[in-house]
Amino acid sequence: MSTTPPPRSAPPGVRPAPGERAAEDGAFGWLRALGPRGRRAFAGAFGGYALDSYDYFTLPLSMVALAAHFGLDSGQTGLFTTVTLVVSAVGGAVAGVVADRVGRVRALMITVVTYAVFTVACGFAPDYETLLVFRALQGLGFGGEWAVGAILVAEYASARHRGRTLGAVQSSWAVGWALAAIVYTLVFSFAGDDLAWRIMFWTGALPALLVVWLRRRVHDAPEAAAARERSPQRGSFAAIFRPGTADDPGLLRTTVFAGLLSTGVQGGYYTLATWVPTYLKTERGLSVVGTGGYLTFLISGAFLGYLTGGHLTDRLGRRRNIWLFALLSAVCVLAYANIPHGANTLLLVLGFPLGFCMSAIFSGFGSYLSELYPTAVRGTGQGFTYNTGRAVGAVFPTLVGFLADGWGVGGALVFGAIGYGLAALALLGLPETRGKELA
């Protein structure tokens, strides 16, 4: 039996006409299949996540300047990332509940405003402690944006195209990362380090412009909104922790293993995202412009990885895609961290597959987590598991920071490979969901 759903405009159970099916084929068939409202939702989620990424990367790119300005050691700088990600777990869980209770678009606007305001505030911080507090508060918005935006688009997307549609949304992370790298190169080339890191944070006001557009143009998927309104359990933490019985499988097992999956993938990812810029500058001796050049290869690989992983998660299935790229990511991390000194050309080239693999594994997350939970608690389940994984995975960058003093940053990066191993093991407790319809 085909799992391909009818177009949104067709009555339930009616198969699409051959011409309509053909319109969904091709490189951009997934985009046409969304329809006008779905495409606006896609644009809103894409823009929000890109700017979320931009605001996040202002810190790793400014890390060396911040450490010099405030006189910080590696452990203290690593703590910036850990605090951001730990607090983001709270923000993400709360945003998921809000999304189930008041709607996806309203929750998305709240998260965007929150991370924009506190990113700008970071630029005015007079000392390390204040900056740490502002960065933590920025994490409240940062934690919720991806989960809410991913659910918004997932509920518009057809089962046939959901993996590549959410993979395309995920690719906006690379767009925001690239924008941050470009601004970093320009700002640090023309301003002194003591001012440049502040300017980087001040540019975090950009997401506020997106909110104006979101308020006027984007709406929740009607079918999912109606299903959510009918359920008395919407936005319930108790529901996602309900143990199974003989008559009801419950969601506790799903929540535990989805949380472990998120922990492993994000532990590996944020280890690299946080420490690679510092590794390139301190251990490889690259200049600001040189670091930007090496990051170009890494980010280009990441962008293509998101798109490719999105297609593969529809073709191979959610679990196989994550298994494949967990293995490849671990191999790439080990290779990248052990390139001998003087082989900077190899370092440049290997940045592409590293970025590709560590991003392709994320492409299936938006569709997979959305499909694991029913509509009434989809925001709560996805927000909680994704961001709990982010919070626990946030321990990895701090451990690397403390280990770097003895092992060097390159040696400590190997620790990130452990995260990918944990992700592969967590899949043993989760079902395959490819082809599942979302009401």
Side-chain angles (χ1 to χ4, degrees):
M1 180 180 292
S2 172
T3 58
T4 303
R8 292 293 181 186
S9 57
V14 177
R15 293 175 59 84
E20 293 172 331
R21 176 65 181 264
E24 293 189 10
D25 292 330
F28 294 98
W30 60 269
L31 188 60
R32 290 190 293 271
L34 285 171
R37 281 193 171 191
R39 286 193 288 272
R40 288 197 293 270
F42 173 84
F46 187 98
Y49 197 48
L51 292 169
D52 194 12
S53 169
Y54 178 89
D55 279 7
Y56 173 79
F57 278 106
T58 53
L59 177 63
L61 290 168
S62 304
M63 196 89 86
V64 174
L66 280 170
H69 183 82
F70 292 118
L72 309 178
D73 59 30
S74 296
Q76 288 174 307
T77 52
L79 190 59
F80 277 126
T81 297
T82 298
V83 166
T84 303
L85 300 181
V86 169
V87 176
S88 78
V90 178
V94 171
V97 172
V98 172
D100 283 337
R101 294 187 178 181
V102 306
R104 315 317 192 195
V105 174
R106 288 180 182 176
L108 189 61
M109 289 190 294
I110 292 170
T111 63
V112 171
V113 168
T114 301
Y115 72 68
V117 167
F118 287 109
T119 299
V120 173
C122 287
F124 293 98
D127 51 46
Y128 170 71
E129 291 76 17
T130 303
L131 181 57
L132 198 62
V133 170
F134 284 155
R135 189 65 178 177
L137 293 173
Q138 186 256 9
L140 290 174
F142 172 72
E145 197 285 331
W146 179 83
V148 176
I151 294 167
L152 173 66
V153 176
E155 291 176 342
Y156 273 106
S158 65
R160 180 186 176 204
H161 294 299
R162 190 172 297 120
R164 69 199 72 183
T165 303
L166 272 296
V169 172
Q170 197 84 47
S171 73
S172 65
W173 182 265
V175 173
W177 189 2
L179 180 60
I182 291 168
V183 173
Y184 157 79
T185 302
L186 292 173
V187 170
F188 276 83
S189 295
F190 293 102
D193 283 8
D194 286 345
L195 177 61
W197 70 265
R198 294 187 185 275
I199 294 174
M200 286 292 294
F201 283 115
W202 292 336
T203 58
L206 290 171
L209 300 176
L210 180 69
V211 172
V212 178
W213 186 82
L214 281 171
R215 289 185 64 182
R216 297 182 59 188
R217 301 284 293 171
V218 182
H219 304 279
D220 288 2
E223 295 169 12
R228 189 177 65 248
E229 290 297 325
R230 289 193 299 268
S231 175
Q233 286 191 317
R234 66 181 188 272
S236 167
F237 279 119
I240 68 171
F241 285 103
R242 188 180 66 251
T245 64
D247 300 320
D248 182 359
L251 291 171
L252 176 61
R253 177 187 175 91
T254 295
T255 299
V256 170
F257 281 99
L260 288 173
L261 174 66
S262 295
T263 297
V265 172
Q266 295 188 87
Y269 181 88
Y270 284 112
T271 294
L272 296 170
T274 301
W275 286 105
V276 164
T278 299
Y279 171 64
L280 293 175
K281 291 188 71 173
T282 60
E283 296 198 12
R284 292 292 172 168
L286 299 181
S287 65
V288 168
V289 175
T291 298
Y294 277 70
L295 288 177
T296 299
F297 270 72
L298 190 68
I299 295 168
S300 298
F303 180 75
L304 292 177
Y306 287 130
L307 297 179
T308 304
H311 282 272
L312 288 177
T313 197
D314 281 335
R315 289 181 176 273
L316 301 178
R318 312 322 189 203
R319 298 170 79 230
R320 287 181 181 176
N321 184 71
I322 295 173
W323 258 322
L324 172 64
F325 286 107
L327 173 62
L328 293 178
S329 295
V331 170
C332 285
V333 171
L334 294 173
Y336 196 77
N338 287 285
I339 293 174
H341 285 279
N344 281 357
T345 300
L346 182 58
L347 187 74
L348 178 72
V349 173
L350 191 57
F352 187 90
L354 176 65
F356 184 94
C357 294
M358 73 187 220
S359 298
I361 194 173
F362 267 110
S363 294
F365 260 49
S367 52
Y368 195 31
L369 295 182
S370 293
E371 292 161 355
L372 287 172
Y373 289 94
T375 302
V377 292
R378 185 167 294 131
T380 305
Q382 183 157 333
F384 178 84
T385 55
Y386 186 81
N387 287 287
T388 297
R390 178 182 273 170
V392 179
V395 174
F396 286 54
T398 297
L399 286 175
V400 170
F402 285 110
L403 291 172
D405 291 332
W407 295 7
V409 177
L413 283 177
V414 174
F415 194 79
I418 296 174
Y420 293 114
L422 176 62
L425 290 174
L427 287 169
L428 297 174
L430 294 170
E432 176 56 59
T433 60
R434 180 177 56 167
K436 183 177 181 179
E437 292 289 353
L438 302 184

